[in-house]
Structure formats: C-alpha cells, structure tokens
Amino acid sequence: MGTEFDLILKKYKQGKREDLIPMLQEIQEQLGYLSEEAIVNVGSYLGLSTTKIYGLATFYDRFRFIPSGRIHISVCNGTSCYINGSQSVINKISEEINVQPGLTTRDGNFSCEIVSCMGGCHNGPVINVNGEYHTFVKASQLPELIKKLMYIIEND
Amino acid sequence: MLFTIQVNNKKIKAEKGETILSALNRNGIIIPTLCRMKDFTPTGACRMCVVEVEGRDRLVTACSQPVEEWMKIRTHSPRVIQARKTIVELLLSNHPDDCLYCERNLNCELQNLSEELNIRERRIRGKKIKPRLDQSSPAITRELSKCILCGRCVRVCEEVVTANTLDFIKRGRNTHIGASMDRDFNFSSCVHCGQCLIVCPTGALHEKHSITEIQEYLNKPEILKVIQYSPLVTAGIAGELGIKHNKYADRILNAILRKIGFDKVFTTGTGTDVCITEISGQLLEKLEKRTASPLYISACPAWVKYCEQFMPSQIPMLSTVKSPQQITGALIKTIVADQNKVNPANIFSVSATPCLAMKFEARRDGMMRKGISDVDSVLTVRELSRLIRLYGIAPSIIEPEAADEPLAGRSSSAVLAEVSGGLTEGILRALHYKLLTKEADKQLFRKLRSSGSFREISMAIGEYEVKAAVVDGLTGLGKLKTSINSGKSYDLIEVMVCPGGCVHGAGLPFSSARADVRSRAKLVYQTDDSEPVNLPCKSHHLINLYDKLLKENSEISDKKIFYTHFEKRNVLL
Amino acid sequence: MQELKTFLINKVLLFESDTLLPETEKILQKIRREKPGNPVIYLSSGTSSIIAGSEKTSSAIKAHISENGLAADFIEVGCTGPSNFEPLVCVHLPGKNKLFFRNITEEKVEPLLNGVFHNDLSEEDLAGQTGTRGFEVWPGIPFMDELPFFANQKRVVLSNCGCYDPESIEEYIARGGYRSYVKAIRHYTFEEVCDIVERSGLRGRSGGGYLTGLKWKHALNTSASSRYLICNAKESDPGAFTDRTILESDPHRLIEGIAIASYAIGASSAIVFMRSGSDHAKNRLQNAVEQARQYGIFGHNIFSSGYNLDIVIRIEPGAFVCGEETALINTLEGKRGMPRLKPPYPTSSGLLGKPTVINNVETLMNVPVIMHNGPEWFRTLGTENSPGTKVFAIAGKGRMSGVVEVEMGTSVRKVLEDIADGIREGREFKAIQLGGSSGSFITSENLDVKIDYESLRERGIGMGAGGFVVIDENTCMVDLVRYYMEFIRNESCGKCIPCREGTGRMLEILESVIRKPMNEESGTTLERFKGVMQLETIASVMKDASLCGLGQNAPNPFISALSNFRDEFEEHIFDRKCQANICRGLRSFSIDVEKCTGCTACEAKCPVNAIYGTRLQPFFIVEDKCIGCGVCFDICKFSAINVK
Ligand SMILES: Cc1cc2nc3c(=O)[nH]c(=O)nc-3n(C[C@H](O)[C@H](O)[C@H](O)COP(=O)(O)O)c2cc1C
Ligand code: SF4
Ligand code: SF4
Ligand code: SF4
Ligand code: SF4
Ligand code: SF4
Ligand code: SF4
Ligand code: SF4
Ligand code: SF4
Ligand code: FES
Ligand code: FES
Ligand code: FES
C-alpha cells in the first residue's frame, strides 16, 4: 500500500497545497475512496494538517470515504430529469438497494449517488449503472433491473 | 489621509484604507458583529455588520468594506435593521433554545444580539439542529448544536495556536466544526489551550466542568479537601466577586475557600518557586557541561503536548521538571499528607487556575505516584467563581485569612511566571543569584518584557554567556526555527501557547478575557516591583521546604516527585 | 503525419497573407473532406448521443463497413444540436448532398446503410439533407437548414460543432483554426487584443454580462510578476449542458480562445476548470490540448513570438458553488471552495494573489471569431448593447431539445415555438425557466421578451448561463420551486448565515406547503401560513445580505414563481390541492367499499395508522390522519384505493 501512495505522491511537488485536490482525485481514482491512511500520507507529504484535508474533502461531493459498491448507480436529478420524474426513480432505487444516496450497502454490493444533469436531458430520467446509461427510466422498471444486477453480482 | 464620509446624514472623518466599521466605531457608532475578530482579516461570514451604502445594489459588510471618499452610509435604516434582525432570527430558528441550561447564559453574544435587536417573537421556525455533545476531551466540551459557524475558533486555532485542530467539515447545512476525520476531541491534535473557547461567541465550546465532582467531595467528611490556586486566580476572580484586587485579596479568597469547605488552602506559587529553582539547577548543569542543545521549559502543558505531537525530536530537550500545579499537587500528597497524618488516598486535591490545559495535565501519565494522582480536579477561574456563588458567600464582609503552611507563600517570581517571558526571567534571576550571590538588575530583562511572538536575550552571568529565547504564542515557533537555522543557539527556551502567557489563559472569566491582556501583564509587573521577596531562594517557605521538610522525609528527599517524563504522542495531526 | 504537421504550420498557421495559396487550399479541402472520393459516414458523438446509444451505433457501423468490405470512411463528429435526433447519422455519398438520419440505434444501422448504398432510403429515419453547390440534390427530402430548428438559429459559437472530428487538430486548422491566435501573438500587443475584444462589446456569457475586454484590461493593468487565465467550464446548474457540448464538439476553438485571452492579459498559465463526471468532454479536451502542444500552440517562445504559455486541466471535485469565481480560486489553491469577500477582485488579486481573469466557456468561444472577423462584424450581430449570440440548452417538455444558438434580440417565443417546436403532444405550455437554479420563469405573457441583457433585466429576469427549460402543465410550480431550493440548499457553501439558514428555512417552509402535516405541532394551518408569510422576508434578506451570487440569487425562482403563479401557491396552502398532481403529500386517498375485500394489508402498512376496519369488511381511511404517503395504494391487491 505504501508504495502505491508513494508513486502517486512522487508525481507532485512536496509541500504545494495547490496540488492537494488533484492528488486526492488521483488517489481516489486508484483506491476508489479516500482512506484515513491516504489522508495522513497526503498530509505529511504536503505538510498540511489532516483536519484541513478532511475538511476540504468533505466540502466536495465527489470525495468518498467508504469504497463504492460493486455496482455503482448514478441517478440524474437535473431539472429536466426531475420534471420527468427522477425523484421517484431515486426513491425506488434507495428502497430497492436499501441504502441512501451517497452511501454503500453493507455487503458492498451497491452504492448510489445523485448527480445533476448528465447531458442526456431529452432521454430523462437517465441513470448510469457502472458506466452504462439507461434512459427514460421508470420507477416500475427498477425492481427488475436490480434483480438482474444482483444476479450478475452473485454469478461473478 | 483623512477624508469625509457621510453617515446617517452627518459628516464624519474617515481614514483612507480603514474599513467602514473602524470609521464608525471611532465616531461612536456601534454596529453589531459576530464573525469579526480584532486583528484578523475579515471573512464576511456572518453578515451582521451590514450597512446601506448609497449606490450599491446590496447591503455591504462594514467589517470588510474599505471606506471611500464621500460614501453615503446608513447604519440603522429599516432595511438594515430588518436584515440584521432576520439574520439573528434565522440563527435562532434552529438553535437549541437552551439558554437556561447553557454555559454562556447571560454572557452569550447571540443572546445579546437577539436582545439588542428586540426579538420578541419566534417568527421563523426551523428544524432543530441535531444535538451532538463531545465530552471526550479532558478539558473542552463541545456542543455542536449551539455553534453558529462563525469560524472564529477555526481561525484562532490555525492562525494563533497553529495546531490546526479545527476546521469546517462538510458543506452548507451539514457544516459543522470538528477535528480530523470528525473524530471526538480526545483523538485530536488539540493541545487544550482553550484559545478557541475564549473567542467562541456562544456556548458551543466550553470547559469540561468539575464543579459537580468537587461538590460531591466537599460533602465527604472523611476526606481532607485541599485547594491550591495560582497567583492570577485572585486577579481573575476579584472582578467577578466584586472585591478589590489588592494585596489582601488573596487572604479574602483564602477565607472564602475555607468557608466553602476546603480544609486547607495553598498557593500554587510555592510550586512555581520550586519549578524555577529546579529548572535553574538543570540550566546550570547544562551550562557547566556546555551541551549544545537547548533546554525547553515545560511549564505550559499545552506546549508540552504540542511538542510531543508536532516536534517529537525535541522531546529529549524538554525540561523534565513538572509544572507548578503538579509540583504543588505532589507536595500536597506527600508532605501535607504526612503533616496531617492522612492517607494520601484520602486527600482530594483541587487546583484553581487560569489555564485550561491544566485540566488535561492533571490526567497525564506520569502525574501519579503509587496510583495516587498529584491533582484530582482542576477548576477554571470561571468555575471557581460559580462555586463560590453557589455557596452563597458575601465576600465583602469576610475576615481575611492566611493560607496554610507549608505551601502558604511564594516569591514575586512566581507571579511573574504568569506572563510570557516571566519564567525565563525568574530562572535567570535565580541563576544570577546562585552564581554571583546578588540580585540581577531588572532592567537587564527589558527585552523579555517587550511584545512580539519571539524575543531573545543574551546575558553574561558569571563566566557564562546565557542565551535565552521566549516564544510567546506558537506563531513564534516559526521565528525560533528560522533563528536556529540561521546558526543561533539557545541555552533556555520558554514556550507559552497563549499569546501573552497565562494572563491570556482560557480559564479566566469571559468578561475580562476580552479586556486587555496587556493590562493584566502590567499588574503582574507591578506586583513584582512592589513585593519585597523577588527570588524563590529568599522565600522562607521555599527555604523551609528544601532545608527541612524535604530532608525529613526520606521517601521524597531525592526530589523525584518534581520530575516527570514525556513521550511522543500518536494523534491524527 | 509529420509532413502534414510541418505543412500546416508553415503554409497555414505561419502564412503571412490572409488568403492562402490555391495549392494549400486544395489540400485543406481534402482534409475537410469537402469533395470525398469515397462515401463518408458521420456519427455525432456527444454525451447526449452516447446516452441515446451512439457507442453501440458506432460499433455497428464499423462492423458493417468491415463485414461488407465497403470503401467508406467513418468519422465521429461533435454534436449537431437536436438531441432528440440522437444517435444522428449522416451519410455523404460522393457527388451528392449529405443525408441525415435520426435515432439510428444499433439495430437500425444494418437496414439504414443497406438502404443508402442501394438507393432505398427509409423515409421514417430521415431527418434531412444538406449540401453546397455542385452536389446532387436528393429529391423530396427537406433541407436541414430549412428545418425551423436550424433556420431560426444563428450558429457562430457552435459553427464548428458537429462539422468536424473534434479529435483532429488538422481538421480544425484546415477550417481556419489557430490562425487568429498565431496572428495575435506575432503581430498584436497585449493591449491591442484587449482593445479589439472591448470594441466588439463582448459580454461575459455566464450570466452577469460584464464587458470581457474591460475585465481583461483590469488584469493587464495590474502590475504583477505573473497572471492567470481561468476558463470556467464548471457548468453544474441542474439542466445545463452547453459547455459540455462545446468541449466535446469543438475543443480546439475553446483552446484557441483561451490562448488568445491568455495572451491579451499577458498570462503565461491558463487553467481549464472542468466539472467532474464529464469524462467524455475531459478526454476530448485533453486530447486537443496534447495535439495543440505538439503543434506548438503552447510552450516556450511560441512561434518565435517571445510569448510563453502553458495550460492545465483541473477537474472540479463536486460543489456547485465553486463555479463562483472566488470559490473557484480557493478550490484551485487547495482550500474549501467557499467564496471570498470582494474586493479584492480576482483581476487584481486572484489565484495565489496574482491578477486572474476568469471567463466562461462560451465567452471564450467568441474570441477567435471576433479576432478573425473583427469587432465591427461582431457588432452587426445581436443588439446594440448585447452584441453577438447566446447559446441555450433546451430541455424539458419541448418537442425538440438540444443545444442551440440564437442572435441576441431573438424573442423567447421564437426559441420556444420555432426552435423547440412547441410543447410535446397534447400538453399546455406553462412557462420557460431561464437560468437554472438562480433563474426566473417566463410565462406566456412575457414570451415576446427579447433575449438580451437589458430587455431581460428590465423584467427582472436574469440571462443565466444557458439553461432553457420548457415547462408544461404537468409540472407543479410549487414543487419545482421546492426542487430548486433543495438543490441550492444542498449546494450552499454554508459560510454566511442568510444563505445557509435562509435556504434551509425556505425549503422547510416550501416542504410544509406541499406536505400534509405529520403531527399537529409541526404544521397546523396557522403555522404553515405564518411560515409562508416569512418566506418573502427571508427571500429579500437573502438577496440583500448574502455574501455571494449563490445566496443572492437563490430566492429568484421562488420570487418569480410567486409573482407569476400566486394562485398555484394559494391553492396548495389553503385548498391543499395540487392541480398538476405532483405533490404526493397532498393527494387524498379513499377506499372503494365495493372493491375492498377487507384483507387488512393496507391497515398493517399505513405508517400513521390512518386506516381502520374489521377484517373481511370494507376498510376506511381517516382523512385527517392520512399523510398521503401512498403506501396503501401500492399495497392493495384489489385496486380498492382511490387517489384524488
Ligand atoms: C454560485 C455561482 C456559480 C457559478 N457557476 C458558474 C459556472 O458554472 N460557470 C461559469 O462560467 N460561471 C459561473 N459563475 C460565474 C462566475 O463567478 C464568473 O462570473 C464567470 O465565470 C465569469 O465569466 P464571464 O465573465 O465570461 O461571464 C457562477 C457564479 C456563481 C455566483
Ligand atoms: S449559546 Fe447563547 S443563545 Fe444558545 S443556548 Fe446558550 S446562551 Fe442561549
Ligand atoms: S428569561 Fe423568560 S423564559 Fe427565561 S427564565 Fe426568565 S421568564 Fe423564563
Ligand atoms: S484548545 Fe487550542 S489547540 Fe485545541 S482546538 Fe482550541 S485552539 Fe485549537
Ligand atoms: S464553535 Fe463557536 S467559535 Fe467555533 S464556529 Fe462555532 S460558534 Fe463560532
Ligand atoms: S500559556 Fe499558560 S494558560 Fe496558556 S496553556 Fe500555557 S500554561 Fe495554560
Ligand atoms: S451566499 Fe451561500 S454560497 Fe455564497 S458564501 Fe454565502 S453561504 Fe456560501
Ligand atoms: S396514504 Fe394510505 S398508507 Fe399513507 S398515510 Fe394515507 S392512508 Fe396511510
Ligand atoms: S388492501 Fe385493499 S382490499 Fe385490503 S383492506 Fe386495504 S383497501 Fe381493502
Ligand atoms: S437533467 Fe438529467 S440529463 Fe440533463
Ligand atoms: S462581522 Fe462583518 S460579516 Fe461578520
Ligand atoms: S450530441 Fe448530438 S445533439 Fe448533442
């Protein structure tokens, strides 16, 4: 683990606070989330207090402190998707996978997040499941979709 | 450059470069503020200080907006008042409404504002903030739901204390103040100096109380109840109790404390004299050996924790002499116990102090002997005044009494230790006397008595050229490092976390905490000048202690009870 | 490739005369595929195409070409505009006009291409044709540029979008790209470039409408050892996707704009601040930056002009407010993205204390065109005080949607009725929402308002950054306002009290309006009414006293909706009805005694025990207790529950 951080950290100049966010982004890309170890490492590399790093990271929505699920669902809640019914899609997903947006299920299978406008407004509500878009989503289709995804996880 | 601005249709003079607020204040116009702190750059967070400036679409914040020539300002127009009032109402709309049970009741800026703005009705209702109480720290309690997110604590901790323990966490309505990883405080890098607490406008941050515990013990007849208090306590409490602070004040306090139920009343000053004597001994030893590394004074427990966390490489250079409170505590549990023929386990030893970090220090490792701690409970001056009021004692008609022997008196150096630079001065004075058997001219220490976060002095004492540095508030550490890196070396280094020293301690009453720290320092210097006994070695209490009491008791004659040890700490930095 | 690069640099970019040599033009024509020898198949490939399935279409086309051994070229281009046509395929047969086919999903590729190559066109999928002189016209097929969607647009900023391969710098140069930049750094001074842009009257397109040239001059005239140019591509208003479309479709034009702007203010570092989650746009931009670097657009002593410039892309870590310029600077400095006090303004003390200019993507997209055609030309577009064009992302309930561009001064009605082609079948128009979460509503009375900064401001409407959401009768305005308020409440940075607490309270009050009270204490009619009375005070104090634009504009949707749809609010508050049938909490439920079998399923599930009855007898709902959650409705197997 140590070397993994080192490789990322080495790309940046020591002590340069402007690089903090890119560093965290890169670590998150590799690790899937920001672990405490990562925050401590970045802190000592940049000479920043971990409080400040944690304070910064929690300000922004994109940083996670728990790994995302094997299946990660982003749901668009932009205006267009909203007026086409994204709220019920969000509710249904939370209900089906049994976890609030922004969190990961205890078994690590699912996580879900809300984003604003994915850029496919005409096809809304839009959701994205592990990189794959689903368009014109209706709440009623979700139980089946989740069942299918469960099946994929179980047979993986 | 002075120019004219117009305020509420009157002309007033303003200075180029100053803020609207400072111009108004100079001219006797008061604008409420909440997030502003003197000597800090404005952040504009609270919006309490808004005023109307002609030609601007929106209200502007007086605390940050520079004045411009011929600005036309309205400070209390209906529009402005509505904005201020609504802002306070918004804060109150989800506030816990706990005033009656709140630490800051009658002393709360939010409460005052709501009073000043004539808020007499709850017009805006909001979902209450979920209560969260963090009592994990030995010194500080946090009540997050009372926080109004003014950010003052964050800035003080970062810019003054440099511990960077606090920050905002999350965003928007979820924002709260917290330590690293949002853990409770005992896991954090907080050094318990309490500087954040004195700037907090509400009851969100306050000391961890010991009153209940003390009351409990005061009711136990089988226990010997003793209290020690440090020289500044009297000065701090005098105003609170409405007594004059003069040379009898100590004796009145003694009497009050006895009335409350303390069997013995001691002064921490005797311990301070021990502390000065022991450190000057260590310093002399160091000078004789001509070691290059400096000796850091370890009397400030907040500094010690800071060093253990942030500068572990310096731990071996920390003087192992305990702080005055702990020395006094150790003497109470040994000599006083013997004299009164009680088992030390049956002594309840309280310390009253202007310092918040002492609450933490009393709980440190190494502050115990045979399972018995030196100090059992620590009170801030605020708590002490509350305790006294609780027992309904009228100080005005009380007969002064002396403190109890053997810890009844001190030299004026012990008082001096309450200001930054004072301990160094006391140690050097003691050393001077030891080597040259004459008292040093106080003029020599002028440099130590000036202001600034880093001061140094170099003086010839006998054959030695002694170099000392004083770090007054941790921002001075940077300058110390620069100075050391540039090749300078020091024999003695004093670090005090609270800028100005313990006269700026977080245990002092809020009302006076905001008063000028410098005036309190002046008081200390006056005491030093007016009292006859300036040196610890001239105080007969100390002489008695060293020449008689210590020698009589074989168990402590090695003076080990005055010493402790320090270790690197693993906290999230 | 190397040869082509040298050629493009020497014979095009560094060529001193405005008209290129005829032999150069010939080669460029080929790069532009103006008269292809082989059939060319184009596929639009923006995010909206991908969401509609274009990646699968792309594989299908490639497979078809290779399986059938066709001698055809396949090019992925940017976004053409109408997102309801996605995936959009265009086929250019040699000598003939280009044909456009809409909604070509994977399975339609085979029949479509078979048809085209065998002269058997499917009418159903045809969108139209385009062509220039000299090409054979397809009879009976409408021209794309005559479709109202295109005919009413004026594509200046978007002129390249959908026309070239955004991953090819060669094509961009062949279309005249980067010449303005090279000319600027070699022949103009900093001031001259600022002057040109100032004279053009270009105003910041992020909504504020500040004069771009003036802003640049401020920064240029602040003495400093270095300066920064930041392209604000944050765009995270819910429902906005113009910047993303531009980044995906014409990244090189943006880079050129950034480069010219950087030169104008004497900056040697430029930063593109992009929103997160737009990987496609980021990859395209990254690729374009790499290519530009190889071509020497960035670097040291660029084209021997003595000017140095480099560019980095930074991805925003997820907070709406860090689109605000001072918050953006904090983010770039590695701090919490909370806005700072102004003054000092970024142009005097911005990133790392240096003078910094922050410009919107669309603003910068205009710069190369202005440099190329001159400020006077730019002033012929749009209105006196708002020259140029404005890009909008049309979304919502219009028949057409997508990214469009109109001249300033065009009426909102024209955009709605002609470009968006009105409301989708069988619905009534209700309003246009302009400017996203800080914007306002335009109702049918106001539809003729002209889109320019002054006309909109006169009616208290902000231009916004380009969101244009079409709303029909099926949308509840109270709920929509609540939606925006929730968004803003979540995005408020929390620094200042009016915004942090004000958005929270406003949201709570709006929620109490659309929800039935859970218990008497929290929401009697009187309380609710009192709350509503406070909404306007809170809104006005937020506008007046908030620190940054987010808080200051947060009440806009509410204020605008209240003045336009007061009756709808009153209906919710007093009659407890939602005509659009959106506010679930206000629905009233009852049990049909005829259908109810008394199975007790609903009684067991009702969270507030509002259902009573005896087993095997019809049950009933106590209306006063019911909170309208709808659980019973979902659970009843006998459809015995009615909703009103
Ligand atoms: C809350 C808030 C969010 C903003 N978001 C954006 C944004 O996403 N994109 C943008 O270009 N400008 C945004 N702005 C405006 C910027 O602060 C800034 O004015 C703009 O980038 C200047 O560009 P222009 O002069 O080219 O219009 C935002 C402003 C505020 C107050
Ligand atoms: S912080 Fe102030 S306003 Fe709040 S409960 Fe305490 S005294 Fe009352
Ligand atoms: S101040 Fe008012 S509410 Fe508080 S205790 Fe007195 S009467 Fe009661
Ligand atoms: S007590 Fe001191 S170190 Fe601890 S948080 Fe407060 S200011 Fe920081
Ligand atoms: S804890 Fe106190 S000082 Fe700190 S932000 Fe909250 S109210 Fe302000
Ligand atoms: S300076 Fe004094 S009051 Fe402050 S923490 Fe140190 S010992 Fe305590
Ligand atoms: S208005 Fe809102 S977003 Fe802007 S500084 Fe204040 S709290 Fe933050
Ligand atoms: S909707 Fe049905 S389940 Fe929900 S509260 Fe009303 S009666 Fe109960
Ligand atoms: S679930 Fe349907 S059928 Fe069963 S008791 Fe309820 S209303 Fe009647
Ligand atoms: S609003 Fe969902 S894709 Fe745009
Ligand atoms: S005191 Fe001026 S904004 Fe807080
Ligand atoms: S990507 Fe094609 S219309 Fe937008």
Side-chain angles (χ1 to χ4, degrees), chain C residues 169-335:
Chain C
I169 191 172
E170 290 79 16
E171 254 193 276
Y172 181 66
I173 296 174
R175 300 176 70 86
Y178 288 124
R179 290 187 67 198
S180 306
Y181 167 61
V182 174
K183 193 167 159 194
I185 60 171
R186 296 175 88 214
H187 299 294
Y188 295 143
T189 61
F190 299 152
E191 288 82 7
E192 278 168 340
V193 181
C194 285
D195 259 344
I196 294 173
V197 172
E198 193 182 359
R199 283 209 316 266
S200 76
L202 175 65
R203 300 171 67 172
R205 294 293 192 248
S206 69
Y210 195 78
L211 272 176
T212 305
L214 212 60
K215 191 168 176 178
W216 292 4
K217 277 189 174 167
H218 277 304
L220 180 63
N221 295 334
T222 308
S223 56
S225 57
S226 58
R227 295 184 188 78
Y228 292 98
L229 185 107
I230 298 172
C231 168
N232 189 346
K234 167 75 183 75
E235 184 176 67
S236 51
D237 232 346
F241 50 94
T242 56
D243 291 357
R244 172 170 28 204
T245 304
I246 290 171
L247 288 165
E248 287 166 353
S249 309
D250 197 0
H252 281 292
R253 166 95 68 88
L254 178 63
I255 290 173
E256 186 175 4
I258 292 171
I260 296 172
S262 303
Y263 179 74
I265 61 163
S268 52
S269 321
I271 297 162
V272 186
F273 188 71
M274 275 193 64
R275 71 173 268 172
S276 52
S278 317
D279 292 346
H280 192 55
K282 182 194 153 205
N283 295 341
R284 286 245 162 108
L285 184 69
Q286 192 105 51
N287 170 69
V289 163
E290 278 324 309
Q291 291 178 340
R293 209 173 265 135
Q294 276 159 24
Y295 268 74
I297 304 295
F298 299 109
H300 200 72
N301 190 12
I302 301 162
F303 298 124
S304 323
S305 63
Y307 178 58
N308 311 325
L309 177 63
D310 206 2
I311 186 169
V312 288
I313 300 173
R314 289 293 208 88
I315 306 297
E316 157 273 335
F320 173 67
V321 64
C322 63
E324 197 278 339
E325 46 194 7
T326 55
L328 191 159
I329 289 171
N330 272 341
T331 304
L332 288 177
E333 290 180 358
K335 300 181 182 145

Side-chain angles (χ1 to χ4, degrees), chain B residues 207 211 227-246 248-258 260 262 265 350-355 379-391 393-396 398 418 502-503 505 507-513 520 523:
Chain B
E207 68 262 51
I211 295 191
I227 186 166
Q228 56 163 309
Y229 64 90
S230 80
L232 212 55
V233 170
T234 333
I237 212 161
E240 297 280 296
L241 297 180
I243 53 176
K244 265 214 199 86
H245 182 246
N246 52 26
Y248 304 112
D250 272 359
R251 298 158 64 88
I252 293 178
L253 185 57
N254 295 339
I256 294 175
L257 293 173
R258 290 215 181 88
I260 287 174
F262 285 104
V265 180
V350 179
S351 161
T353 150
C355 172
L379 281 178
T380 61
V381 179
R382 288 187 297 270
E383 286 174 285
L384 182 62
S385 106
R386 206 168 281 166
L387 188 72
I388 293 172
R389 277 184 276 133
L390 184 65
Y391 279 84
I393 290 157
S396 51
I398 222 161
E418 306 275 18
C502 306
V503 287
L508 289 164
F510 287 121
S511 47
S512 56
R520 232 175 283 146
L523 205 82

Side-chain angles (χ1 to χ4, degrees), chain C residues 345-363:
Chain C
Y345 291 90
T347 44
S348 52
S349 172
L351 184 60
L352 302 172
K354 302 286 188 241
T356 303
V357 164
I358 297 164
N359 274 133
N360 172 259
V361 168
E362 193 187 333
T363 315

Side-chain angles (χ1 to χ4, degrees), chain A residues 26-55:
Chain A
E26 200 171 333
I27 289 172
Q28 172 151 312
E29 209 159 286
Q30 299 261 316
L31 229 66
Y33 73 112
L34 297 178
S35 61
E36 183 177 317
E37 192 191 0
I39 291 178
V40 170
N41 271 288
V42 171
S44 60
Y45 194 79
L46 291 182
L48 270 178
S49 116
T50 51
T51 313
K52 297 284 159 191
I53 298 176
Y54 187 73

Side-chain angles (χ1 to χ4, degrees), chain B residues 193 195 299-303 354-358 496-498 501-502 504-506:
Chain B
C193 65
Q195 287 297 311
C300 171
W303 149 244
C355 172
L356 209 68
M358 301 271 177
M496 294 291 240
V497 169
C498 305
C502 306
H504 197 185

